[in-house]
Amino acid sequence: MFRAQIHRMSVEKDDLEATIKSLRVQDERSNEKIVTLEKTVQQLCAELADSQHRANSLIQILRAHEQKNQCEALYAQGRIYDAARSLLEIASTVSEVVRANKLIMDWLVEFTHRCVSTLELIGDEASNVEKHGEALAAYSTALSLGPSTTDTLLIKWANMILIHGTVNEALSSAAQFKLSRFLIYREICDVLEGIGRVTESIQCFRQMQNELGEDTCMHDERAQWELSFQRRCRERLEKLADVAMDSRSYSEATEYFSTLLLLDPVDRMDILVKRSTAQALLNSWEEALNDADEAIKLDPSSYRGYERMHAALHGARRHAEAVEAFHTMLSKLEHSSDERIRALRDQYVDATPIIRRIVEQTIRHMPRVLIDTTTGRLHDKKQLAEVFEALPICNELVSTMTTQTDHAHIWKVVKEFYRYVMLSHRWEHDEPLLQKVENISIYKLEVFPATMKLQNFCSLVRSLGFRCPVVSSGASGTLEHGHTKNTLLPRLSSSTLKTGKPYLDLTLFNHKESPIIVSEMQQVTGVSPQELAVLRPGLNRVREKLYLASTRQTTLVEDIAYSLFGIFNVAIPVIYGEGNRAVCRLLEHILTGSGDVTILAWTGRAGSHNSCLPTDLSVYSHIVPPHIPRLIKTTEMDRTVMELRSSLPDLSFVVMLYNQLNKLPSPSLAATRLRLPSIAFRLTELVHTSGPDPVTSLRLYRVTTSMLGDVEIKTADNLTGMEDLCLVHPWIRPLLDQEFSDGAAALDRTTQALRFVARLRQPFGGLLFEPLSRVEYRRVAADSFIMVQIREDVSLTELIDNIRTIEVQ
């Protein structure tokens, strides 16, 4: 009907337009008729356009009804996916006319809801039986139908696609959804976080920020969710990172810290510090250093970045830079305005001054000038100290010991570096003098036999790993016997000819391993190979070394002492012309350094340095001096301890005596004054019984004491009229040391004390002292041992009352 009417009106319009055209040709009188006809044509055109619009609208509505019926038919047949596709076609082609049709639009809403519900139900059923593909297809189709779908459905879809899929796959699949891009990102992020894939969740979050930028759509809702999401992820990642660090899963911890940094956290520096720590524990030093650098840039005033920088540089063995970072860290701690941070400084130590002190103490007793075998130059002690501080090993020590100083290790390293080798040789006429070599390398000296000897010697010791040799010369041929004994004592010894070549062309590094040389040394010294094998340089086994040196002969008296520097590993000034005083100075140094009181166990004339020191070493002709109480055999000791335990009324006094003697300091001698811990026994009513002997000039004295019984003294000194003489028992430390050498240290304190008392009651060689003032004494030289023994009836309290430290000149 609409089509016929439109056709008729169209024909009528065409006729009128033709009539108007004809009239315009005829004459102007036809103008009025033309105007009337034009109006009629315009009216017909308007009516024609309206009829066409109504016809098109009706056609669209009819077509929509046809599509609606088709969708319903597909849905009724259970072809839900076909129905959904048809529904999408309708939705994509809806015109304004159809949209104005309430009946059609109401159906679209209702049918869309019905399809979504059905598809969701299908997806749920498939999900329950783990048919993930079917479930995902159902959820995806439902979400593509329009924005009216619920958040629950979007969550189900996200859970399903992320079971095996990636974020990019999920985003690609969601491109067909008629939903806000923010909502899609939000659900993907939330689901990933919920299933523990926090790292991917944060990566997705960052991708959303990059894609959406400052999009104002859903601005308030988005801002609120972003804050909540970042807080949840940050808390979860921090816990995961802490657990990973505690379980030493440092790679995982590093990943968690890296993900945290993607959230642009406020505490970014703290996370960088933690990640640097994890990287360092993985030995990833460069990565750890990069994090430390970034942390310092964020907060240059904080110590934490420098702390991590030190750790990274130390691990990378860049010790000089590590020490610099460590010192900067200490400065940050010390100058912090926060009292709590300043207090952290106490947790750290700077080993630099300790190392310097140990270096100073080490080189203090070394020769005044040594040769650096690397450069051939002479170094004084100041230069020697500077050489060590410039070495990488020095920085390594400082960098290693930041919380606790290992003094033993520092001593070991310093002593290892400052090991030096002595060339003891006969002086020749063309020897290079100090003035000649102090400003030139010894390797550049003119070639003479003496300089070749020196150069070959330095080259040899450098090849053996020694950096600092020192050259000493013998004054005469008689020193060679003394030098031979000196070379017995170092653990490594090498004999060379004048040319610097090895003796007998031996290639052994340690010539003490050569049976030929050991045999020759035994013939010269009378020392067995077994004794040679255990002797070492140092302040140990002092009495044995003094015994070996007791027969030494040299042209100059001083050389007896000077030739023992290597045996005892000491360095004291060489002063030719001092005579016997050199021996006294050597013994003073040994006594103070070792605390070995057996140095005082001798008979004969005293030296001028101190009355407790002899004039020469010949007095040490006994390896074990008779002064020291003998060792008690195990069975005898056990019996004696049992008797003492039953006879002593109060064992607490035994322990008291033992404790007080244990607390006594070691003997020391400085500035010619000896401090000697001991048990002192006063002598009164001294009786001169005979002498002086016309041959020996000796006088014999006797005295009876309540604590020691009868005492006999032979001396060239005239003791007549002397008052307040005392006889001392200074061998406390040797008796205490016997307890540990016997392996009794594990016994209880009372048993240890009883064993000590048993030793204390053994005969001993006493030292006789004359008072010079109320506190000072002088030793009276006896020409024979003054052997005495503490009486058994002497009470322990009497012994305790007589414990004292006397000062001897």
Side-chain angles (χ1 to χ4, degrees):
M1 179 181 69
F2 279 108
R3 290 178 180 174
Q5 184 179 0
I6 291 171
H7 178 70
R8 180 179 58 78
M9 292 176 68
S10 178
V11 171
E12 185 176 350
K13 177 178 76 70
D14 292 341
D15 290 343
L16 287 172
E17 287 178 345
T19 301
I20 291 171
K21 184 177 181 180
S22 173
L23 288 173
R24 282 176 176 168
V25 174
Q26 291 177 11
D27 53 51
E28 294 181 356
R29 286 178 300 182
S30 303
N31 285 342
E32 292 182 1
K33 189 175 181 179
I34 290 171
V35 171
T36 301
L37 290 175
E38 284 181 343
K39 289 181 179 180
T40 303
V41 169
Q42 290 176 356
Q43 184 177 356
L44 286 173
C45 287
E47 292 177 358
L48 178 61
D50 181 62
S51 296
Q52 288 178 334
H53 175 71
R54 282 186 290 155
N56 290 334
S57 298
L58 183 59
I59 291 170
Q60 292 175 22
I61 292 172
L62 289 173
R63 186 179 296 117
H65 277 287
E66 290 176 2
Q67 292 173 324
K68 168 179 168 295
N69 293 335
Q70 182 183 8
C71 287
E72 290 287 2
L74 292 171
Y75 183 85
Q77 295 171 16
R79 297 165 60 185
I80 184 64
Y81 290 104
D82 292 334
R85 277 192 292 274
S86 295
L87 181 61
L88 286 172
E89 290 178 7
I90 295 174
S92 64
T93 58
V94 169
S95 64
E96 291 295 327
V97 174
V98 175
R99 192 170 285 108
N101 190 301
K102 187 175 182 303
L103 180 64
I104 295 296
M105 295 308 297
D106 288 347
W107 173 83
L108 275 173
V109 173
E110 184 276 330
F111 189 72
T112 299
H113 180 73
R114 201 184 334 153
C115 286
V116 168
S117 298
T118 301
L119 287 166
E120 184 175 6
L121 181 61
I122 292 171
D124 292 345
E125 292 174 351
S127 176
N128 290 337
V129 294
E130 297 186 356
K131 294 182 178 180
H132 300 143
E134 294 183 19
L136 180 60
Y139 294 146
S140 297
T141 303
L143 287 169
S144 67
L145 293 179
S148 61
T149 54
T150 63
D151 289 345
T152 303
L153 180 59
L154 189 57
I155 294 172
K156 291 177 180 179
W157 165 83
N159 272 294
M160 196 57 56
I161 196 169
L162 291 171
I163 287 177
H164 300 295
T166 64
V167 171
N168 288 334
E169 289 173 346
L171 291 172
S172 177
S173 174
Q176 60 179 317
F177 300 164
K178 294 181 175 61
L179 295 172
S180 163
R181 197 67 170 166
F182 159 68
L183 293 178
I184 295 171
Y185 269 113
R186 184 185 69 181
E187 297 308 331
I188 292 175
C189 289
D190 285 345
V191 167
L192 287 170
E193 181 210 346
I195 62 178
R197 292 160 63 178
V198 185
T199 300
E200 292 178 75
S201 176
I202 294 176
Q203 291 172 344
C204 179
F205 175 78
R206 293 284 296 183
Q207 187 172 338
M208 179 198 76
Q209 289 183 316
N210 293 334
E211 180 180 330
L212 301 183
E214 299 296 329
D215 187 3
T216 57
C217 179
M218 306 180 71
H219 179 269
D220 293 341
E221 182 179 355
R222 175 183 167 186
Q224 185 177 0
W225 172 82
E226 285 185 351
L227 289 175
S228 174
F229 174 78
Q230 291 182 79
R231 178 184 54 77
R232 294 195 313 270
C233 288
R234 187 160 50 246
E235 291 175 355
R236 188 161 186 171
L237 282 169
E238 287 173 352
K239 290 180 180 178
L240 289 171
D242 290 341
V243 170
M245 290 293 287
D246 292 341
S247 61
R248 300 184 179 182
S249 301
Y250 303 125
S251 294
E252 290 183 26
T254 299
E255 292 179 6
Y256 292 135
F257 290 133
S258 299
T259 305
L260 268 171
L261 292 171
L262 294 176
L263 294 174
D264 292 328
V266 176
D267 55 347
R268 185 177 184 83
M269 193 204 75
D270 291 339
I271 298 172
L272 285 167
V273 167
K274 291 179 179 179
R275 188 171 71 173
S276 179
T277 302
Q279 297 280 20
L281 291 169
L282 290 170
N283 294 338
S284 300
W285 308 119
E286 286 301 319
E287 291 79 0
L289 181 59
N290 291 337
D291 283 346
D293 282 333
E294 189 172 348
I296 291 171
K297 291 176 182 177
L298 289 173
D299 188 357
S301 65
S302 173
Y303 75 95
R304 299 180 64 193
Y306 291 101
E307 181 184 43
R308 299 319 314 159
M309 174 180 283
H310 162 257
L313 290 169
H314 178 76
R317 303 194 63 79
R318 294 160 59 180
H319 295 123
E321 298 170 80
V323 170
E324 183 179 352
F326 176 66
H327 286 157
T328 304
M329 181 200 77
L330 295 182
S331 176
K332 299 295 181 184
L333 287 171
E334 292 165 356
H335 296 91
S336 173
S337 59
D338 190 330
E339 183 178 353
R340 293 170 299 177
I341 293 179
R342 290 199 304 274
L344 296 177
R345 174 63 178 85
D346 296 336
Q347 299 178 8
Y348 299 94
V349 296
D350 183 2
T352 303
I354 298 172
I355 293 172
R356 285 175 181 163
R357 186 165 62 251
I358 290 176
V359 167
E360 290 172 359
Q361 292 175 4
T362 301
I363 66 178
R364 180 183 303 159
H365 304 297
M366 292 175 64
R368 186 172 61 87
V369 177
L370 290 93
I371 303 172
D372 187 336
T373 57
T374 303
T375 62
R377 293 276 186 173
L378 296 182
H379 285 330
D380 59 21
K381 292 187 176 182
K382 179 182 178 182
Q383 292 168 324
L384 283 175
E386 292 172 350
V387 166
F388 185 81
E389 288 194 25
L391 290 176
I393 186 62
C394 182
N395 286 319
E396 183 177 356
L397 288 174
V398 176
S399 183
T400 301
M401 302 176 190
T402 56
T403 57
Q404 187 175 6
T405 305
D406 187 345
H407 289 77
H409 182 62
I410 296 175
W411 274 108
K412 179 181 178 182
V413 172
V414 171
K415 286 185 175 180
E416 180 72 16
F417 174 76
Y418 285 114
R419 291 183 308 161
Y420 63 90
V421 181
M422 294 186 70
L423 172 62
S424 186
H425 65 109
R426 192 189 301 247
W427 186 270
E428 297 178 296
H429 71 279
D430 59 349
E431 294 285 346
L433 300 177
L434 175 64
Q435 293 78 4
K436 184 175 181 180
V437 299
E438 62 182 353
N439 295 316
I440 188 173
S441 169
I442 57 101
Y443 298 122
K444 296 182 179 180
L445 293 174
E446 295 183 48
V447 178
F448 293 105
T451 58
M452 286 181 61
K453 175 176 60 178
L454 178 60
Q455 292 166 344
N456 290 337
F457 169 68
C458 290
S459 298
L460 174 63
V461 297
R462 181 176 60 184
S463 68
L464 297 177
F466 295 90
R467 182 161 181 169
C468 301
V470 61
V471 179
S472 67
S473 60
S476 68
T478 58
L479 180 60
E480 292 184 359
H481 173 69
H483 170 62
T484 303
K485 281 193 174 181
N486 196 30
T487 58
L488 297 179
L489 298 176
R491 181 173 60 87
L492 297 177
S493 176
S494 181
S495 302
T496 60
L497 301 174
K498 290 183 178 181
T499 59
K501 294 182 179 179
Y503 178 57
L504 298 178
D505 286 329
L506 292 173
T507 57
L508 289 172
F509 178 49
N510 183 6
H511 285 184
K512 288 172 66 176
E513 296 175 358
S514 167
I516 300 174
I517 290 184
V518 170
S519 176
E520 291 184 359
M521 295 163 86
Q522 181 181 7
Q523 292 174 16
V524 172
T525 65
V527 181
S528 69
Q530 292 75 18
E531 290 176 312
L532 293 176
V534 295
L535 289 173
R536 300 285 184 271
L539 295 176
N540 61 334
R541 308 186 71 165
V542 170
R543 188 70 190 202
E544 294 177 57
K545 295 171 183 176
L546 290 175
Y547 164 72
L548 292 174
S550 63
T551 58
R552 178 163 297 185
Q553 296 179 3
T554 58
T555 301
L556 296 179
V557 176
E558 299 93 321
D559 283 333
I560 293 178
Y562 301 159
S563 64
L564 297 178
F565 288 177
I567 296 175
F568 291 104
N569 194 23
V570 299
I572 57 178
V574 174
I575 310 173
Y576 276 106
E578 64 177 330
N580 286 331
R581 191 171 180 273
V583 171
C584 295
R585 289 196 302 116
L586 175 66
L587 293 175
E588 174 185 346
H589 190 91
I590 295 172
L591 177 62
T592 302
S594 67
D596 192 336
V597 74
T598 63
I599 292 175
L600 308 182
W602 53 271
T603 58
R605 297 291 89 194
S608 59
H609 191 71
N610 183 279
S611 61
C612 277
L613 299 180
T615 57
D616 58 68
L617 301 182
S618 62
V619 298
Y620 297 110
S621 57
H622 297 85
I623 293 181
V624 180
H627 298 69
I628 310 301
R630 68 177 179 86
L631 291 173
I632 303 176
K633 295 182 179 180
T634 303
T635 54
E636 182 183 354
M637 175 63 79
D638 292 341
R639 185 182 68 254
T640 305
V641 168
M642 187 178 300
E643 293 173 354
L644 288 171
R645 196 183 293 273
S646 61
S647 63
L648 292 173
D650 190 348
L651 296 181
S652 64
F653 286 104
V654 179
V655 177
M656 184 185 301
L657 172 66
Y658 183 64
N659 288 341
Q660 288 199 24
L661 291 173
N662 254 304
K663 293 178 182 177
L664 289 176
S666 297
S668 62
L669 204 165
T672 72
R673 186 183 297 271
L674 170 66
R675 291 181 57 82
L676 182 62
S678 61
I679 302 176
F681 305 94
R682 186 179 178 187
L683 302 181
T684 59
E685 300 180 5
L686 197 68
V687 177
H688 180 205
T689 59
S690 66
D693 185 277
V695 178
T696 62
S697 299
L698 294 180
R699 294 177 172 87
L700 178 62
Y701 296 89
R702 286 190 175 92
V703 62
T704 300
T705 70
S706 61
M707 299 181 71
L708 300 175
D710 294 335
V711 179
E712 186 174 280
I713 303 170
K714 289 183 180 181
T715 178
D717 289 4
N718 186 0
L719 305 182
T720 303
M722 288 188 181
E723 297 180 356
D724 296 326
L725 291 173
C726 66
L727 197 68
V728 304
H729 186 327
W731 321 119
I732 309 301
R733 184 54 54 188
L735 294 183
L736 291 170
D737 291 342
Q738 286 179 19
E739 186 70 18
F740 291 91
S741 64
D742 286 350
L747 297 175
D748 64 271
R749 195 70 170 177
T750 301
T751 302
Q752 290 179 5
L754 288 169
R755 290 166 63 90
F756 177 79
V757 170
R759 293 190 178 96
L760 191 62
R761 289 185 170 181
Q762 295 296 304
F764 68 93
L767 303 184
L768 183 63
F769 287 92
E770 169 196 5
L772 299 178
S773 65
R774 189 172 60 86
V775 295
E776 293 182 347
Y777 290 82
R778 177 185 71 85
R779 179 175 174 179
V780 178
D783 288 85
S784 63
F785 300 112
I786 307 175
M787 299 304 298
V788 293
Q789 185 174 6
I790 300 173
R791 294 166 55 95
E792 292 187 3
D793 58 353
V794 174
S795 69
L796 297 178
T797 54
E798 288 181 278
L799 292 176
I800 292 173
D801 291 340
N802 283 277
I803 297 174
R804 62 193 62 184
T805 298
I806 63 175
E807 294 190 2
V808 185
Q809 287 192 355

